[in-house]
Amino acid sequence: MFQRPSPNIALSQQDNSHVSPDEVETVVGPSVHVEGDFSSEGNILVKGMVSGNVQTSRLLTVESGAKITANVKAGNAVISGEIKGNVRVSDRLELTETARISGDISCVILAVEPGALIVGKVSMEGMTPEKKRTTKSRRRLTKLVDDTDDDTNMEDEFSEEDSIDA
Amino acid sequence: MYIYLYDNFLRQKKYESQMKAIENRLTDFGIAGKILRLQRFANPEVIIEDEIKRGATAVIIVGNDATFGHILSRAARCDVIFGFLPIGQQNDIANVLGIPVGEDACDVLSKRRKVFLDVGWFNNRYFVSQLHIPFSPITIEYDEKFRVSSQSGLMELVVCNLQPFIWRGNKGDEFVVHPQDGKLEAFIRPMKKVGLFRKQYEDPSVFPFEEMVVKSTTPFEVEADGKQSKETKITIRLAKSRINMIVGKDRKF
């Protein structure tokens, strides 16, 4: 039934996914159902169904027809399937035309192809610190101005006192 | 002192000249030692333990993949350096270990480049090359975190450690399950449907793991290093750095 193999051939020769087969470490095949929290240190390729949190520090690829029902956390992500849950990507998130996401998205770089559906809040981490900085810097500026005013007043007072002593 | 464990098939006349050439080469390198011929029902663990007591420092397996699996699955807990001299057909493990087949393997042995290898462990027994469960109604639980099941119910499972394995797809395409960097990897393929002339399969799934539990309500067949048994529940674990092995420079991990 099985032939003798040669170890130099790659795992899958006819894989049409975005990632080359050698880079993929975990593959959830079609018609396979994974229940529970699913985490990996390497790349994850999802072609089937996952009911539970998915977590990786590297690339997550969700193929068309695949479904994830829980929160997703990844370093980079290419989504072509359906996700019902929040998606948190620390770098680049790519949504293809078949992507369907029902949940909040947070990422640094977002690429969306026409046809992708998002129901939820999108927050880009690159924008939030600037707002905080502006408000903080304004506060700091006002404080500094107040401090300098106080200092000048103090200096004036000292000079007055010195002049009185003299 | 070196101990050479010869497989029984090396008695055949066609290997006679090759064996003589190898023995001469080993003598030239100064690593010739005691030769023991394995019989069909001999327990390699007992033989190796006896030889360790008599002062053996290295045990060299002489044969093919089957010999390698047969000896190491039983003798993995022996505290000795293992080596491998691949001879004849069916030598895929040698390629992974970077050991050339035949006389050139003596050069690798003489250099004594040692690496600790991980092995698989299931139901009180080690497996070195691979574990195979043919299509059965099984569910798999990984590292007590998540459970994998198939919609059709029937799944085939292969856990590869050192020996590569090949799967044939529906369109005649081949999926080669090749060994990685010493960690255990489980390859699962669900069955789509049973056709009139052949079965149709889904694309395989791959999960690296350290511990997995395979369960079924009905007994399923398990084949590990060529030995078959029937089980209803098995726990497969990774035994890290269990075997101290002499390997070649061109090893694949």
Side-chain angles (χ1 to χ4, degrees):
Chain A
M1 186 180 167
F2 296 110
Q3 285 183 348
R4 298 300 303 177
S6 66
N8 296 326
I9 313 166
L11 170 67
S12 162
Q13 293 170 331
Q14 296 188 339
D15 205 339
N16 298 322
S17 61
H18 299 270
V19 198
S20 71
D22 280 342
E23 289 172 359
V24 174
E25 285 179 20
T26 306
V27 182
V28 180
S31 90
V32 166
H33 190 207
V34 176
E35 285 173 88
D37 292 345
F38 179 52
S39 64
S40 171
E41 287 169 12
N43 298 336
I44 298 177
L45 172 62
V46 182
K47 296 175 178 177
M49 282 173 69
V50 180
S51 310
N53 295 333
V54 178
Q55 194 175 341
T56 176
S57 56
R58 293 176 71 186
L59 177 67
L60 169 74
T61 310
V62 183
E63 291 217 331
S64 179
K67 194 175 176 183
I68 298 176
T69 322
N71 296 338
V72 170
K73 214 174 174 183
N76 292 288
V78 179
I79 312 292
S80 307
E82 192 179 340
I83 297 177
K84 284 185 178 174
N86 298 336
V87 180
R88 203 168 153 190
V89 177
S90 57
D91 193 20
R92 183 188 165 92
L93 171 65
E94 205 177 311
L95 302 179
T96 66
E97 57 179 350
T98 52
R100 306 275 181 276
I101 296 181
S102 311
D104 296 346
I105 295 172
S106 99
C107 60
V108 176
I109 303 162
L110 178 65
V112 186
E113 275 185 19
L117 290 178
I118 304 168
V119 181
K121 196 172 76 181
V122 179
S123 59
M124 310 273 287
E125 284 174 15
M127 291 287 284
T128 42
E130 277 183 30
K131 277 183 183 175
K132 281 177 187 172
R133 265 181 217 159
T134 49
T135 51
K136 273 184 183 174
S137 58
R138 274 179 198 165
R139 277 177 201 163
R140 274 183 199 159
L141 273 171
T142 48
K143 271 186 181 177
L144 277 170
V145 170
D146 292 341
D147 291 345
T148 46
D149 288 345
D150 292 343
D151 289 346
T152 47
N153 291 337
M154 287 287 279
E155 275 173 16
D156 291 342
E157 282 171 20
F158 274 117
S159 59
E160 278 175 19
E161 280 173 14
D162 289 346
S163 61
I164 290 160
D165 288 336
Chain B
M1 190 174 74
Y2 281 68
I3 299 294
Y4 291 86
L5 291 178
Y6 282 28
D7 197 310
N8 212 16
F9 77 87
L10 296 172
R11 286 174 191 272
Q12 291 172 32
K13 217 167 192 180
K14 63 178 177 180
Y15 297 110
E16 209 170 88
S17 61
Q18 200 180 0
M19 291 314 300
K20 269 185 184 165
I22 286 172
E23 281 162 17
N24 287 339
R25 192 86 171 257
L26 291 172
T27 314
D28 291 346
F29 283 127
I31 51 172
K34 189 176 174 183
I35 295 168
L36 297 170
R37 290 187 188 274
L38 280 178
Q39 300 303 317
R40 187 178 282 264
F41 300 108
N43 185 357
E45 191 186 355
V46 179
I47 296 169
I48 292 169
E49 287 291 353
D50 281 352
E51 293 303 326
I52 291 170
K53 280 175 197 165
R54 286 178 197 146
T57 52
V59 174
I60 314 299
I61 300 157
V62 188
N64 56 16
D65 288 350
T67 326
F68 188 86
H70 173 74
I71 293 173
L72 286 183
S73 61
R74 287 151 184 91
R77 48 174 81 91
C78 296
D79 188 21
V80 71
I81 299 163
F82 285 96
F84 186 35
L85 270 176
I87 288 163
Q89 302 292 311
Q90 300 179 358
N91 268 309
D92 299 317
I93 294 174
N95 194 7
V96 177
L97 296 173
I99 303 170
V101 178
E103 210 180 321
D104 294 338
C106 302
D107 298 4
V108 174
L109 270 187
S110 68
K111 282 171 188 159
R112 280 179 74 100
R113 188 181 282 111
K114 290 175 284 177
V115 162
F116 278 97
L117 295 181
D118 301 338
V119 292
W121 185 93
F122 100 96
N123 288 15
N124 273 333
R125 186 155 86 82
Y126 290 102
F127 67 94
V128 181
S129 52
Q130 61 174 226
L131 180 141
H132 179 218
I133 298 173
F135 284 101
S136 313
I138 49 172
T139 54
I140 302 158
E141 197 178 308
Y142 284 90
D143 301 330
E144 295 179 346
K145 283 178 189 165
F146 60 94
R147 207 169 66 223
V148 177
S149 56
S150 154
Q151 286 168 8
S152 63
L154 291 175
M155 285 197 291
E156 184 185 20
L157 172 80
V158 174
V159 178
C160 272
N161 189 32
L162 281 174
Q163 192 177 27
F165 188 79
I166 200 161
W167 262 330
R168 289 208 147 186
N170 296 326
K171 296 164 192 166
D173 50 337
E174 290 174 345
F175 295 92
V176 177
V177 175
H178 60 106
Q180 307 274 321
D181 50 357
K183 62 186 172 185
L184 289 180
E185 263 147 345
F187 298 82
I188 299 163
R189 185 167 64 164
M191 192 187 285
K192 205 191 265 179
K193 61 178 179 181
V194 183
L196 197 61
F197 298 107
R198 61 178 182 182
K199 293 162 183 172
Q200 287 194 328
Y201 311 107
E202 291 282 0
D203 291 346
S205 304
V206 186
F207 297 95
F209 72 100
E210 290 202 357
E211 185 181 322
M212 76 194 285
V213 180
V214 184
K215 280 187 230 172
S216 177
T217 47
T218 53
F220 55 89
E221 201 176 286
V222 184
E223 188 186 334
D225 284 345
K227 195 182 175 187
Q228 291 177 343
S229 58
K230 283 217 164 189
E231 314 281 347
T232 51
K233 184 185 175 184
I234 59 167
T235 306
I236 307 167
R237 283 198 195 104
L238 179 70
K240 282 186 179 169
S241 307
R242 173 60 60 184
I243 297 171
N244 196 1
M245 185 92 199
I246 298 171
V247 293
K249 200 171 79 177
D250 303 324
R251 64 188 179 276
K252 301 224 175 336
F253 51 90

